[in-house]
Amino acid sequence: MRPAATAEELRFHVLGPLEVLRNGVPLPLGGIKQRTVLGYLLLHPNRVTATSQLISALWDGPSPASARKMVQNAVWRLRKLLHLHEEHAELEGMSLQSRPPGYLLRVDPQAVDLYRFHELVAEGRARMRDGGVAEASRLWRQALALWRGPLLADLAEAGVAWPELKVSADTRLDVLEEYFDAELALGRHSAVLPELLTLRRSEPRRERLTGQLMLSLHRSGRQSDALDVYRAHRAELADQLGLDPSRELQELHQAILTHDTALHYTPLPGTLQVRPAPRQPSAAADAASPAPDAVESAGLVPERKEVSVALINAVCPAVPGGGDPEHVDMAMEALHEVVVAEASRFDGVVAAKLGCCWLVVFGARRSHDNDAMRAVLMVLAVRHRIRARNAHPLRLRAAVDTGEALVRYGRDGAGPPTVTSAALDRPQSLLPLVPLDEVWVSEGTRGQTDNLIGYQRARVHAAMWTVQGVRCATVRGPRLPLLGRADCVRALTDLLDTDAVERRVALVVGGPGMGKSAVLEEFERQTAGRDPATRPLLAHLLPCTVDDSALRVLATELSSCCGIGSWDPPGTARAKLWAMVERAAANADEARRLFERLLVPLGQVTHQEQAAGPEEVVAAWCTLLERLAAERTVVVVIDDLHAADESVLGLVGPLLGQEGPARLKVVAAARPELFLRRPAWESAVNVTAELTRLPDTVVAELTRTVLEAGGGRDRPPGPVAELVEVVTALADGNPMFAAELTRMALRRVSPDTAAADAAPDERPEAAHDMLPSAVGRALAAQLDALPTDLKAVAQDAAVLGEAVRPEDVAALRDQRQSDAGDVADALGELVRRGVLMAAPADAGTTGSFTFRQPLLREVAYARLPQAQRAVKHAAVARWEGRSRAPGGSLRPVASELLRLGSVVQRLRDAARTAAGPEPRAGLTEGTPLFPAGAGR
């Protein structure tokens, strides 16, 4: 007979769906009656629960005649399942005993998460009474992290409505409010604001929560939003309950109205404040003619940019020597080398190091269209390398955020840039919330990276996301037809029909959004459709290794190659792998080495026995592919080769030199930057499919396809045709630009967005909002690829409008003693680089230029700080002998963007007309004039 289970063996989870774990493994709890009995007993442990109480808990109304027998059966099954037999009641472990008038569940409270929650809450309140605000906040955060959903969520979903469920929900909200108070006292208003906004929508009548939200908004510089929250709360109380807000909330409202300094955050005594450098005071108070040195000081150039910020914190939980400072310093120095190396690898800048924290900024020195992705990959790479090192038992946590920033950098590129942004503050305030070994990102960062990175909602902080790792397959948007690229795909498939050693590497080369990945997908689709007898073996390599994702990709393809099914037992899987390796390897030693390493992705090696990391396993896979190429054609597919690790580039290099088997081929996609890393490859690559701008007719067809997929068939034909025309002009042959612009227009026309933007708005600022963020990032990267001085000329040209004359740019730049001859040369260089082109003959002036891509001009102008814009506009006004018209806009906006905004407004108006008039507020059809029983 088995002895009673000990407290260490069983864990009961009721904060969420009911769950019982034995040694960490969930137990099957059976049907709803059995689960309900256990759930009720866990809410009343260590005291007798009458059978009549259990019957009332099981049946809301009249119970069946066999109710007592059904309860007895449920208890008997629970004893058998959990080994809580009554004969072991005298032992110190848990037991489920029969005690008149019912049953007694003996359990250690520490084994039930509900009681651990109450214990942490009480401990936090004690710390708060002693003045330990930070410690109280930490304890409450741990307590709240135990909740996986509503109390006994599975039973509640089945109709259980015990009073205990409501009481526990209210208790959790009380603790949340105490936690928010502590966070606000610690100055973390930015960190809790997103969760406060979300929580108040579900709990609008909790006045303490409303006050916390108002204070958080006020401290975040959003006074008008704070006042709006109060007005909405007051109106709801008056309409539904006939009450006024509490006196405390009214006093808070008055304090916000009068900008009472008592509401400002004051650091607690002994609190260390690490904040980004404050902005230098601007001397551009006189917007008409500010001094030039107010904009650029100390040789630094200011610019508005989107940046991504990663804040990494390291902890040494078990450093040899008991935490000796020298040992800690050694571990931190080793980590510092890793952070610097990985930041450089992903083109980030280590902006600051303070103790065990590193601040890494991406997009400050040079923007890329994927800076948010680079930031997340860098953090994962650092964590991966630290985990691979057993010498220093470091554990990391990190927070990543993305946002608008004011960046200052030297014209010569010397020294690190300085960055001022709320995106610097948010990771700092969030980092204490992040559990060890986790990486959190903001909603903005997740939106730019979730095609490649897997996420789940962070516990405790519902507005943040926890990184799960790199996805095995990139998640792409709705599939579009591959138009205008048939020749490129044909060039790739022709590579499969020859065994010549001089035709083994094919590259698809193009800029962002030109459709490189779509060409690879179509190539794979056509290859998979070939006759099985001649179909090549397709293998994929991730361009860079930052975690174990490469092993997951490899496991799928290795299993397919060896014929290993998910149903195969471990012995069979090992035998199939060995048969493949033994047949293909060059010798017995190589076969043993490959076999040992390739067992890792198949899960045949425990973590403790694993001697090879992902890099060694991928190298073994590449060796096996080389050997298999002696039997059949093997095609290795690599996307984003320009960003690949040196080890991946090392696979391609020998094939260009006609080394290795003739039937081993590489088909890859890359941007032109690849040839900056490998200049010799530009002429050595066997097949280069260069993706140039698509013809306007193809772009128009693509735009119509996206429109039809989004419901464009139901729109008026006139505005739709004009929308296709405008998008085609703005896309400039880039299929991604066309698709993003069209989808953005469809979102603006949708009923949900139309309700938010009810009034027409054709201001220049509103037209600028028509620029999709993905398009803006790609154009910002194109602008930052220019040399600093050449980019400055392009930004001056953006200020002048659609027609740019050399003498106008020269006059504008004379404000900084620039040479007029250099301006003409710079404009010519911008034409050569495809940024500018000669203006059409009907532009009104001869010898003038215009931006080839109107959207690039919008981005170039938006990057200028407001003070710098004022300086430049004042110079233009003086040069042309005019001044700004009252109420006019200084901002030059592309006519195509204005036209796009006009078309979208017309489509929106047509959608409203088709939907019919909105019902008037107040009485609706079927509403009685008087309540039932009125006047009796």
Side-chain angles (χ1 to χ4, degrees), residues 131-135 182-188 265-275 354 428-429 432:
V133 181
E135 181 65 13
E183 291 291 284
L184 290 170
L186 294 168
R188 297 170 183 164
Y265 166 63
T266 303
L268 297 171
T271 303
L272 176 63
Q273 295 297 308
V274 183
R275 294 190 178 276
L354 180 62
Q428 174 198 333
S429 58

Side-chain angles (χ1 to χ4, degrees), residues 802-804 837-852 896:
E802 295 192 350
V804 179
M837 65 179 184
D842 58 357
T845 57
T846 58
S848 62
F849 301 89
T850 188
F851 277 81
R852 178 184 181 90
E896 290 89 346

Side-chain angles (χ1 to χ4, degrees), residues 868-887:
Q868 201 173 45
R869 297 177 198 174
V871 170
K872 294 180 181 295
H873 282 296
V876 172
R878 287 194 297 271
W879 164 250
E880 297 183 353
R882 67 179 187 214
S883 61
R884 179 184 177 186

